[in-house]
Amino acid sequence: MSILGKISKKLIVSCQALEDEPLHDAYIMGKMALAASQGGASGIRANTVKDIQAIKKEVNLPIIGIIKKDFADSDVFITPTINEVEALYQEAVDIIAFDATKQERPDGKSFEEFFSEVKARYPDQLFMADVSTLEEGINAEKAGVDVVAPTLAGYTSYSKGTVPLEITKDLIENVSIPVIAEGNFDIPEKAKKALQLGAHAVVVGSAITRPKIITGKFVSAIEEL
């Protein structure tokens, strides 16, 4: 079965912890992926080669790989340059995801210029475009990506207030490549709704794998009493 076939209509769990978070440790991410697998997840989204290597020791699931890297001159931080793509390719992740917004990349390139170079160098690799608007999703399909996701809806300056589920629906209706629902699908009902609308799969992260954020939501609700 193909990689996209293995995750069709399934749950993908994003196992990530940033450097300033208590669970930032590759070993912990591996165990987090194992717990997700035992819970029924059919794929993992992970950040950094180190975490991906630890996750591979624990589970045999398709992996969507990214590398988050900050640059002073750009807001693009999800697999921003071809150097991060090369590192993920060498690790043989199943799908490489990257920022496919219209924001200028740290090397001064547009998304179209960046992906043209990437596709030429890695013609057989599956690529997933993280976008923030419908227009960016349509442009990513035209550029030749394999999968699109509204991961960055609400996270670019021009998409504030955007509802990821609505963008997911718009993408499904306007592109022909698989649409993976990702971005604030924080309750089971939202994930189910996305699949009912026609999403290929759904990615859930913070609602499952970030106890610090989950705890904060409970505390905020209690403090409203």
Side-chain angles (χ1 to χ4, degrees):
M1 183 182 292
S2 69
I3 295 300
L4 292 178
K6 290 180 179 177
I7 61 174
S8 178
K9 301 302 178 186
K10 302 293 186 181
L11 174 67
I12 298 164
V13 174
S14 182
C15 298
Q16 299 181 46
L18 301 179
E19 291 185 11
D20 61 347
E21 294 179 289
L23 299 187
H24 179 66
D25 183 281
Y27 173 81
I28 293 174
M29 289 302 103
K31 294 302 181 185
M32 192 76 80
L34 177 60
S37 176
Q38 292 178 349
S42 296
I44 302 294
R45 176 163 166 138
N47 174 34
T48 76
V49 169
K50 188 177 181 181
D51 282 8
I52 291 168
Q53 290 173 340
I55 288 168
K56 283 182 173 178
K57 293 178 181 177
E58 301 288 349
V59 302
N60 182 26
L61 295 175
I63 294 177
I64 299 172
I66 63 171
I67 294 178
K68 291 181 175 177
K69 188 171 183 179
D70 293 321
F71 288 84
D73 60 346
S74 174
D75 291 328
V76 174
F77 64 94
I78 299 177
T79 321
T81 75
I82 201 163
N83 294 330
E84 290 76 47
V85 175
E86 170 67 17
L88 292 166
Y89 180 80
Q90 291 301 326
E91 187 52 37
V93 298
D94 299 289
I95 300 173
I96 295 176
F98 42 63
D99 183 313
T101 68
K102 63 182 181 183
Q103 301 176 114
E104 186 173 282
R105 310 186 83 83
D107 50 15
K109 293 178 180 175
S110 66
F111 164 70
E112 288 79 5
E113 292 170 328
F114 160 77
F115 188 63
S116 176
E117 182 180 354
V118 166
K119 189 66 175 174
R121 189 177 298 188
Y122 314 103
D124 298 324
Q125 173 69 47
L126 287 175
F127 292 107
M128 174 172 162
D130 290 342
V131 302
S132 68
T133 67
L134 171 61
E135 176 189 13
E136 290 168 349
I138 292 173
N139 289 338
E141 180 182 32
K142 289 179 179 176
V145 302
D146 303 283
V147 182
V148 65
T151 314
L152 293 168
Y155 291 97
T156 56
S157 60
Y158 47 88
S159 69
K160 298 294 184 185
T162 301
V163 179
L165 184 60
E166 293 179 359
I167 295 294
T168 298
K169 181 176 182 292
D170 290 342
L171 287 168
I172 291 167
E173 293 174 348
N174 289 279
V175 303
S176 58
I177 55 177
V179 175
I180 292 181
E182 180 171 3
N184 197 32
F185 288 87
D186 54 354
I187 58 175
E189 289 75 17
K190 285 185 184 177
K192 184 178 178 181
K193 182 64 176 177
L195 295 178
Q196 289 174 328
L197 289 171
H200 186 80
V202 60
V203 177
V204 178
S206 300
I208 295 176
T209 59
R210 282 184 152 148
K212 178 181 174 182
I213 293 175
I214 297 167
T215 303
K217 288 183 177 180
F218 277 91
V219 170
S220 295
I222 290 171
E223 289 179 346
E224 291 175 358
L225 294 175

